Amino acid sequence: MSEQDGTDETAHEPTDGGTAARAPRQQRWTRRAPWLAFGIAATVLVVDQLTKLWAEATLTRGERTPLIGDALGIQLIYNPGAAFSFGENTTWVFTIAAAIGVGVTAWFAWRARSRAWAAALGLVLGGAFTHLLDRLFREPSFGQGHVVDFIAYFDWFIGNVADIALFFGVVTFLTLELLGIRLRPESSDSSDSSEPSGESETSVGGGGADGGGVREGGTA
């Protein structure tokens, strides 16, 4: 499948003589964004599970090995709760929450047409999905499995690769929201990748169909 990019341009109305107040801001779209998200998610899942297998095969449970003084070390534990060992007696709640999170994130990832959003959603989806697998299939029982944690940060908490992916995914998500970068074109945008193939242009501003307005166009 060939990549089809679109460009979304936003500009102020012309102020005088058809001159825009400032240059248009462009955002590019691609139909490959969902596959980028799912590829990142799969990478996170594989790396997380492989490092957990390594930790279980190599480390002694509860024994800490410093890497950077007290700041960073490796220490194998099995976490029945969430971060900071919160909710240790309600593992099934986190299993349900993880399943819902995976479903919602996958839906947004499938709708994404922005590479930046695809990266953010892929990180979150991968981290949530690999945690869900731990909850479902690890001991002590189905749906109440304990997550394997082995990366120790000071005396604050112990996490894993999935936690790192979730952290950076959420940070990227918040950054995109603050910058006003959209997940996909709005339904009225001619550059929406769900439109039939072809190139179209929509006039924005006061120039008319043939005049000096700022145009908005791209490939569907």
Side-chain angles (χ1 to χ4, degrees), residues 104-120:
V104 171
T105 307
W107 183 80
F108 278 106
W110 181 250
R111 289 174 52 81
R113 294 297 181 267
S114 161
R115 290 183 181 89
W117 272 105

Side-chain angles (χ1 to χ4, degrees), residues 28 55 79 98 100 111 131 133 167 189 211 219:
R28 298 188 64 84
N79 183 6
I100 294 173
R111 289 174 52 81
H131 275 173
L133 292 181
F167 173 80
D189 289 347
T219 311

Side-chain angles (χ1 to χ4, degrees), residues 5 11 22-23 53 71 75 81 114 116 154 161 176 182 192-193 209 216:
D5 288 338
R22 63 183 181 184
L53 290 174
Q75 179 180 346
S114 161
F154 291 99
V161 172
L176 294 174
R182 290 183 293 166
D192 191 337
S193 59
E216 178 180 1

Side-chain angles (χ1 to χ4, degrees), residues 11 15 19 21 32 37 55-56 67 83 116 124 132 134 151 165 170 172 175 188 204:
T15 53
T19 303
R32 288 186 176 179
E56 290 187 294
L67 296 178
V124 173
L132 177 60
D134 284 356
I151 306 175
V170 170
T172 305
T175 301
S188 60
V204 178

Side-chain angles (χ1 to χ4, degrees), residues 13-27:
E13 295 288 334
T15 53
D16 84 269
T19 303
R22 63 183 181 184
R25 182 181 61 189
Q26 297 184 353
Q27 186 174 342

Side-chain angles (χ1 to χ4, degrees), residues 18-116:
T19 303
R22 63 183 181 184
R25 182 181 61 189
Q26 297 184 353
Q27 186 174 342
R28 298 188 64 84
W29 313 109
T30 175
R31 285 184 175 180
R32 288 186 176 179
W35 305 112
L36 173 61
F38 295 140
I40 292 173
T43 301
V44 171
L45 188 151
V46 170
V47 173
D48 181 70
Q49 291 296 326
L50 287 178
T51 53
K52 287 173 178 175
L53 290 174
W54 168 83
E56 290 187 294
T58 306
L59 305 178
T60 301
R61 183 173 182 175
E63 181 179 315
R64 179 165 180 151
T65 302
L67 296 178
I68 307 177
D70 293 331
L72 183 67
I74 50 176
Q75 179 180 346
L76 176 64
I77 66 167
Y78 294 90
N79 183 6
F84 308 103
S85 297
F86 172 77
E88 293 183 355
N89 296 320
T90 55
T91 302
W92 62 271
V93 173
F94 297 109
T95 303
I96 295 173
I100 294 173
V102 166
V104 171
T105 307
W107 183 80
F108 278 106
W110 181 250
R111 289 174 52 81
R113 294 297 181 267
S114 161
R115 290 183 181 89

